[in-house]
Amino acid sequence: MPHTITPLHQHRGSDRADETADAFGTPDGGADVAMVYTCPMHPEIHQDRPGACPKCGMTLEPLIPAAAENPEDIELRDFTRRFWRTLPLTVMVTVLAMFGHRLGLLNMRVQSWVELVLSLPVVLWAALPFFARAGRSLLNRSPNMWTLIGLGTGAAFLYSVVATLAPGVFPATFRSMGRVGVYFEAAAVIISLTLLGQMLELRARSHTAAAIRALLDLAPRMARRVRPDGAEEDVPVAHVHVGDLLRVRPGERVPVDGVVVDGVSAVDESMLTGEPIPVTKRSADKLIGATVNATGALLMRAEKVGAHTVLAQIVAMVAAAQRSRAPMQRMADVVARYFVGAVVAVAVATFFAWGLLGPAPGWVFGLINAVAVLIIACPCALGLATPMSIMVATGKAATRGVLFRDAAAIEKLREVDTILVDKTGTLTEGKPGFERAIAAPGFTEDEVLRLAASVDQGSEHPLAEAIVRAARAHGLALSPPEGFESAGGIGVRGTVEGHAVVLGNTALMEQAGVAVTPLRAHAELLRGGGASVVYLAVDGRAAGLLAVSDPIKPSSFEALATLHAAGMRVVMASGDGITTAKAVGQRLGIEEVHGEVTPADKLALVEQLQRAGRVVAMAGDGINDAPALAKADVGVAMGTGTDVAMNSAQVTLVKGDLRGIADARLISMATVRNMRQNLLFALIYNALGIPLAAGVLYPFTGWLLSPMIAALAMSLSSASVIGNALRLR
């Protein structure tokens, strides 16, 4: 299928460059710029300082995480401290409320005071951030789940305080065992559970920042600058400017994007391309910042620095794609807003209806029933409906080698109809392996492999390692090479057993004056099968060739057959040459193949499919896949790949086996079905309980629902949700 890929530079914009500059320096090098903070639930919120979201009260986090401590890490420590310091109090007040009257250790009036004292730190200190968020939601007229939590726990606590301080205002019907029923334990338990949920959520959110930080860690901190007088000095990368001459020594990372001025070396660009084979760089060749200089020394001229480097743009694309995943949460906020409004309206109507129309003492009955409405409407069951299903499902999925990032990934995966797969490391093993040797007349295949492996013993190139490994596996005796010479990344030379041996690509054979025409047809056939080919010459004449390829994972065939059977459209995108990519695609039965694609190309391909109405899953394993993984509706990372890929994805296949996607889709469908059932249970309890708590049946039956029964109903609703979620096991 023909397509248009937008080049990386066309994705740039002044806003994105500014947002990224704080991590990489200004676009032209130099001092850092101000940090930008945003809300994970409302990405349209931007401000230049930390704080709380004006819409939902959630702590703002950096748009592009930097080396500084993340505000959400501070919040996680704060919530953890509040949780553990007050958990013993919650346990004590709960045990006392459940068993105190049976033990008979305290007078029931005294027990109410003890419960009040125990619950005060939980409600007034541990829950302080929740009440603050609930208050802001009301001030900003943006009710959400914090509003419900604040109203529910606040109503239970205030009612209990009044019942303890002034029990005489309540009718005798609300007295039991010598006191008016109190619900301090309900408020304390809700607060402790909410703190625990927030701790789990903050830990999950930290993985998003980890993806960006892992990318930032690739960028070197220092560069070796060559001054006009020839002297060299080490300077921070942030102080490098366009036009500066930089020295890159073997084993060092290229500091910024630029061009080679002098030197020849093999550069590992796998962080960008995902391909394991280093690329030879000579004068006038382009260099990408954060790639690794493998062998020789290079002198380069800086062309792009700061926020304009390729790595900086990848960081910006990952961050922008991550922030775009908010529609589901916004929809949940809208539902919560209507739910909160309805509950508050019913509680207010109950209070005034009883006060104006009910029997004496009407206003007391109105207060009690209004509190019962708020307690039974407390979002415990609604809050547990999704997390319980997710907790059980993620545990089950983990035993199958599938790790889900969050509930959104589980819910979305069942809708996926198109999967975009990377080749290297996803469909293939991700490391070169020896395929076969072909001998010219006068030589044997074992002899070709033995001589090639002998001369390659002096090389650290991945192709050389594959050849040496294969020769040893065949039990061939290798001879040490003499006069070993690396030919600038295009091959090697040396003397083996008195014979001049040259091993390399076509360019090296031409330099050595060796005719490879008789072997060219074999070479093209092997390349058509997805292999890399190197020629062997002995004493000036062609002796044979060797094919090294990245083998396809055996599981890939079954995985793709399963995906096709499920009606999935499979598209392959690879940084490999189009001939190799198509050859692999043909073997796997993939009709739509894109070769020689960059990270920006993969991202653009995901966007193109999404604009066409497709729900896209992206499967990859490399840093180059990170932007597409983050932008896709569901990103699927191979557990055998890079940390950046796994942190950018919503699903990780621990074993690196693409067959896990089929398991993940089945788990997704079962989990979503279970979540809907849980929500239905919770809503049924509210639909039946709220009218009963409001006293709708009183004129007909004389029934009133005390807050105690309301709390019991709330507990039963939570128990039913938990029990149903456990069925997922």
Side-chain angles (χ1 to χ4, degrees):
M1 181 186 75
H3 68 282
T4 302
I5 295 295
T6 306
L8 181 60
H9 66 84
Q10 292 186 23
H11 284 277
R12 295 191 179 115
S14 59
D15 56 341
R16 180 169 291 175
D18 291 342
E19 291 163 359
T20 315
D22 66 90
F24 292 91
T26 59
D28 296 321
D32 292 349
V33 298
M35 186 83 76
V36 178
Y37 294 86
T38 187
C39 173
M41 291 177 62
H42 299 92
E44 67 275 12
I45 301 296
H46 280 194
Q47 67 180 46
D48 59 359
R49 62 189 182 282
C53 175
K55 290 188 175 182
C56 66
M58 185 171 286
T59 300
L60 300 180
E61 58 188 31
L63 193 65
I64 304 290
E69 188 171 30
N70 201 356
E72 67 187 31
D73 296 334
I74 300 173
E75 185 180 35
L76 174 59
R77 284 204 304 272
D78 179 47
F79 282 1
T80 302
R81 183 175 64 251
R82 293 174 189 268
F83 174 76
W84 287 113
R85 289 185 180 179
T86 58
L87 181 61
L89 300 177
T90 298
V91 173
M92 285 190 287
V93 74
T94 302
V95 171
L96 192 59
M98 295 177 64
F99 304 108
H101 63 286
R102 297 180 183 178
L103 298 175
L105 299 177
L106 298 172
N107 176 277
M108 294 306 294
R109 289 286 305 277
V110 175
Q111 181 175 317
S112 295
W113 280 95
V114 174
E115 291 181 25
L116 170 60
V117 172
L118 290 173
S119 61
L120 272 174
V122 183
V123 177
L124 299 185
W125 178 68
L128 189 60
F130 303 158
F131 288 121
R133 293 176 179 184
R136 278 194 293 268
S137 71
L138 295 175
L139 289 175
N140 294 317
R141 287 182 284 187
S142 179
N144 49 52
M145 293 304 292
W146 295 115
T147 317
L148 284 176
I149 291 171
L151 287 175
T153 56
F157 182 75
L158 291 176
Y159 165 83
S160 301
V161 169
V162 174
T164 302
L165 299 179
V169 303
F170 296 94
T173 55
F174 285 88
R175 294 180 180 273
S176 175
M177 292 177 290
R179 68 168 181 174
V180 177
V182 293
Y183 308 100
F184 294 115
E185 80 284 357
V189 168
I190 291 170
I191 290 166
S192 293
L193 287 175
T194 305
L195 281 169
L196 179 61
Q198 285 299 293
M199 290 159 55
L200 296 175
E201 178 186 334
L202 287 168
R203 285 195 179 98
R205 281 169 51 192
S206 68
H207 291 300
T208 299
I212 305 293
R213 290 196 182 99
L215 285 169
L216 295 176
D217 288 342
L218 292 175
R221 305 299 178 207
M222 303 294 291
R224 191 163 187 82
R225 183 163 57 193
V226 180
R227 297 203 302 249
D229 61 2
E232 299 183 2
E233 59 179 349
D234 291 327
V235 298
V237 170
H239 295 169
V240 173
H241 297 270
V242 174
D244 284 352
L245 290 178
L246 306 172
R247 179 81 63 191
V248 187
R249 292 165 291 191
E252 292 183 338
R253 290 189 180 273
V254 177
V256 296
D257 294 2
V259 62
V260 177
V261 174
D262 185 40
V264 178
S265 181
V267 176
D268 180 0
E269 295 186 336
S270 59
M271 59 78 60
L272 177 68
T273 65
E275 304 306 324
I277 301 175
V279 179
T280 301
K281 299 290 183 178
R282 297 184 178 82
S283 179
D285 286 343
K286 298 289 185 180
L287 290 173
I288 303 299
T291 56
V292 181
N293 181 28
T295 53
L298 294 173
L299 182 65
M300 65 172 290
R301 178 180 293 109
E303 291 189 335
K304 295 175 183 176
V305 300
H308 287 164
T309 64
V310 170
L311 179 61
Q313 293 301 306
I314 291 176
V315 169
M317 285 188 289
V318 172
Q322 289 175 336
R323 302 299 177 197
S324 69
R325 296 194 302 269
M328 184 181 299
Q329 186 59 56
R330 285 198 294 269
M331 183 175 63
D333 286 345
V334 172
V335 173
R337 186 179 302 120
Y338 286 116
F339 179 73
V340 172
V343 170
V344 173
V346 171
V348 171
T350 299
F351 177 73
F352 282 102
W354 277 95
L356 297 174
L357 306 174
W363 292 107
V364 174
F365 279 124
L367 175 62
I368 301 304
N369 289 333
V371 169
V373 168
L374 289 175
I375 290 178
I376 203 168
C378 187
C380 254
L382 284 173
L384 286 172
T386 296
M388 281 306 303
S389 297
I390 296 303
M391 288 173 63
V392 177
T394 51
K396 181 65 177 177
T399 65
R400 306 291 293 270
V402 178
L403 301 180
F404 287 101
R405 168 70 60 81
D406 51 28
I410 295 180
E411 185 169 353
K412 197 67 179 177
L413 185 59
R414 56 186 263 280
E415 302 175 9
V416 168
D417 57 21
T418 302
I419 179 167
L420 179 66
V421 293
D422 175 51
K423 179 183 74 69
T424 304
T426 303
L427 297 171
T428 64
E429 298 288 355
K431 53 186 178 182
F434 175 76
E435 187 170 311
R436 63 172 301 188
I438 295 179
F443 295 87
T444 66
E445 292 183 358
D446 280 352
E447 190 175 9
V448 169
L449 177 58
R450 184 180 67 82
L451 291 172
S454 295
V455 73
D456 256 342
Q457 290 180 97
S459 174
E460 296 180 355
H461 196 285
L463 293 181
E465 293 177 3
I467 292 172
V468 172
R469 187 168 58 247
R472 288 173 176 163
H474 282 73
L476 301 179
L478 306 185
S479 301
E482 299 176 0
F484 175 82
E485 177 187 350
S486 176
I490 59 175
V492 295
R493 303 171 187 262
T495 301
V496 178
E497 300 171 358
H499 298 283
V501 177
V502 180
L503 179 70
N505 61 15
T506 305
L508 182 58
M509 293 298 113
E510 291 176 352
Q511 289 181 15
V514 177
V516 295
T517 303
L519 297 170
R520 189 160 293 159
H522 293 290
E524 288 302 314
L525 184 62
L526 290 167
R527 290 191 183 106
S532 298
V533 174
V534 291
Y535 293 100
L536 175 72
V538 178
D539 294 331
R541 71 185 185 93
L545 59 81
L546 301 98
V548 179
S549 63
D550 189 4
I552 296 174
K553 295 178 182 178
S555 61
S556 294
F557 295 95
E558 180 183 342
L560 291 173
T562 302
L563 294 173
H564 282 130
M568 302 270 292
R569 173 183 174 186
V570 181
V571 181
M572 188 177 82
S574 173
D576 253 342
I578 188 64
T579 300
T580 302
K582 283 186 175 179
V584 173
Q586 185 176 11
R587 291 179 62 188
L588 289 169
I590 302 175
E591 296 182 358
E592 187 173 344
V593 175
H594 303 273
E596 300 179 359
V597 295
T598 66
D601 294 336
K602 292 181 180 179
L603 176 62
L605 186 53
V606 170
E607 293 172 337
Q608 175 184 314
L609 291 167
Q610 288 173 331
R611 285 194 300 269
R614 314 293 296 194
V615 181
V616 182
M618 167 68 193
D621 74 323
I623 294 170
N624 59 306
D625 301 316
L629 286 169
K631 180 60 179 174
D633 296 285
V634 179
V636 181
M638 300 295 110
T640 51
T642 64
D643 290 340
V644 174
M646 286 182 276
N647 286 323
S648 299
Q650 295 85 50
V651 181
T652 298
L653 306 181
V654 177
K655 301 174 183 177
D657 189 339
L658 205 58
R659 290 176 297 186
I661 291 184
D663 288 337
R665 289 186 76 243
L666 291 175
I667 293 171
S668 170
M669 290 186 285
T671 304
V672 171
R673 184 167 57 249
N674 191 267
M675 286 192 293
R676 288 175 175 171
Q677 293 167 350
N678 284 346
L679 289 171
L680 180 62
F681 287 147
L683 291 174
I684 286 176
Y685 273 102
N686 280 317
L688 297 177
I690 290 177
L692 185 60
V696 171
L697 297 181
Y698 181 79
F700 310 103
T701 64
W703 293 350
L704 284 179
L705 185 67
S706 75
M708 182 183 300
I709 303 301
L712 178 61
M714 180 182 66
S715 299
L716 289 175
S717 67
S718 300
S720 67
V721 163
I722 294 172
N724 187 57
L726 291 176
R727 292 192 309 108
L728 282 173
R729 292 180 178 177

